[in-house]
Amino acid sequence: MLKRAKILIVDDDPLNRLVLEKTLASEHDTFLVENGEKALTFLKSTAVDLIILDIVMPGISGYEVLIQLKENPSTQALPVIFISANTSHDDEAKGFELGAMDYIAKPFSPTIVKARIRNQLLIKQKNDLLEMLASIDGLTEIPNRRYLDESLSREWRRSRRAGTPLSVLLMDIDHFKRYNDCYGHRAGDDCLKRIAHALVGECERVSDFVARYGGEEFAAVLPDMGKNEALQFANKLRDAVNGLNIPHKASLNADHITISIGVATTECGQVYGEHTLLEEADLGLYQAKDAGRDIIVARVIRTQ
């Protein structure tokens, strides 16, 4: 079933904006702006599902708006439908070459507009589902390494731009190979699932997430969270796994499954790549395991 979508209408003609709004408002949430500059500003703070874009407008043209949208990773996948009084095949072809998904000529039929928008939203819905499935770990059903890398890169850029803290946790199940050898790989898979769900269950903020990093390792990305808060969160994760009380008679440090955690924090968005955070968290994890496991070690990245 098609969900109620958010649609941005960009047209310098007030009458066109009004007609489009009346055509779509019963099924979708509509937002109206009168030129390309305002459209680009609007999209910096508000996410939409589709854009209806006039071509000839004061200031920058619809073509230029589309070019800028395609250059921005956060908007390049947005479906755009051009709507224009220009009916030449060359204009239509240029729109498709730049990445528009459809082209509607003015004067337009509300019925045709609704049908074409519905088709594009169905395509987007399917693409979003495929993208989501590609970002989910098949075993634990939580975000995978690909999603982690993409999200961490995005959050690091935001942290650097805004000068806000960002923390990363790397977690490893202690003596997991011994667990598999003792209980079998099916039990090992079940153990991974239970731990994954326990870790995800501790994420209270929408911005926080836990992903499977690989094998028996998990990672958490915590935007706007400094060292002390990240340590508190790491303790919550550690306690959640201990609370599962999964027997591990082959462990060398406890009678149940435990995790070791490395924490890395950049406090003010210093000029480091996101991989530096992962490397520092990995070093903290190594130190935690070397110190006896079931331990948390935190590291803060200092300015150069």
Side-chain angles (χ1 to χ4, degrees):
M1 183 177 179
L2 194 61
K3 69 175 184 177
R4 189 175 181 88
K6 294 180 179 179
I7 298 177
L8 176 62
I9 298 168
V10 189
D11 197 312
D12 64 317
D13 188 326
L15 181 59
N16 283 337
R17 294 198 302 271
L18 179 63
V19 172
L20 285 168
E21 181 182 29
K22 285 191 172 183
T23 299
L24 302 173
S26 63
E27 298 178 12
H28 306 294
D29 298 326
T30 56
F31 306 90
L32 313 178
V33 295
E34 62 268 25
N35 59 53
E37 290 88 344
K38 288 187 176 181
L40 293 172
T41 299
F42 178 86
L43 291 168
K44 290 179 181 178
S45 59
T46 306
V48 299
D49 298 295
L50 183 142
I51 302 173
I52 300 176
L53 181 61
D54 191 15
I55 293 177
V56 180
M57 296 180 290
I60 62 175
S61 70
Y63 292 138
E64 178 58 33
V65 172
L66 182 56
I67 289 170
Q68 293 194 39
L69 292 176
K70 292 301 178 183
E71 290 175 346
N72 186 336
S74 65
T75 57
Q76 62 186 194
L78 268 177
V80 173
I81 297 178
F82 272 135
I83 188 163
S84 176
N86 295 334
T87 57
S88 76
H89 293 307
D90 288 343
D91 288 327
E92 189 172 349
K94 181 176 181 179
F96 285 126
E97 287 172 3
L98 292 175
M101 299 301 294
D102 206 342
Y103 191 102
I104 299 173
K106 298 178 183 177
F108 51 82
S109 161
T111 302
I112 295 298
V113 169
K114 291 173 73 172
R116 292 192 172 184
I117 285 175
R118 180 176 178 82
N119 288 340
Q120 292 304 323
L121 289 174
L122 283 170
I123 292 171
K124 182 179 185 298
Q125 192 176 73
K126 291 177 181 178
N127 288 339
D128 288 347
L129 178 59
L130 290 173
E131 184 69 21
M132 182 190 72
L133 292 174
S135 300
I136 297 296
D137 177 62
L139 175 65
T140 62
E141 298 180 343
I142 69 171
N144 59 17
R145 176 68 179 272
R146 172 189 169 184
Y147 183 88
L148 170 77
D149 289 341
E150 292 174 351
S151 299
L152 177 58
S153 178
R154 182 172 59 251
E155 291 298 341
W156 175 78
R157 290 196 302 271
R158 190 178 70 83
S159 169
R160 180 181 177 185
R161 187 169 58 248
T164 54
L166 173 64
S167 293
V168 171
L169 277 57
L170 276 184
M171 298 158 273
D172 184 79
I173 303 175
D174 297 323
H175 302 299
F176 189 68
K177 183 180 183 305
R178 297 176 68 89
Y179 184 90
N180 273 333
D181 292 342
C182 180
Y183 296 96
H185 288 280
R186 181 171 295 182
D189 287 348
D190 183 62
C191 177
L192 287 170
K193 293 177 187 177
R194 292 181 64 187
I195 289 176
H197 295 161
L199 297 175
V200 169
E202 296 299 321
C203 295
E204 298 178 356
R205 301 188 308 169
V206 175
S207 59
D208 301 336
F209 74 90
V210 172
R212 188 179 180 192
Y213 193 66
E216 66 270 25
E217 288 189 322
F218 297 88
V221 175
L222 311 172
D224 301 309
M225 191 176 287
K227 175 186 174 183
N228 292 336
E229 289 178 291
L231 270 172
Q232 292 175 12
F233 186 77
N235 273 296
K236 284 177 59 180
L237 297 183
R238 176 178 168 272
D239 290 344
V241 172
N242 279 320
L244 294 173
N245 202 28
I246 301 173
H248 189 355
K249 62 184 181 183
S251 174
L252 300 180
N253 68 281
D255 62 359
H256 60 277
I257 285 287
T258 60
I259 58 172
S260 299
I261 305 177
V263 181
T265 299
T266 175
E267 294 285 5
C268 303
Q270 297 96 328
V271 184
Y272 287 89
E274 65 270 25
H275 296 297
T276 303
L277 275 170
L278 283 172
E279 290 167 1
E280 289 292 321
D282 191 46
L283 184 55
L285 175 59
Y286 175 83
Q287 293 172 343
K289 291 163 70 174
D290 193 52
R293 304 178 192 254
D294 193 20
I295 289 173
I296 300 168
V297 173
R299 302 176 62 83
V300 175
I301 300 176
R302 304 295 180 185
T303 53
Q304 294 180 3

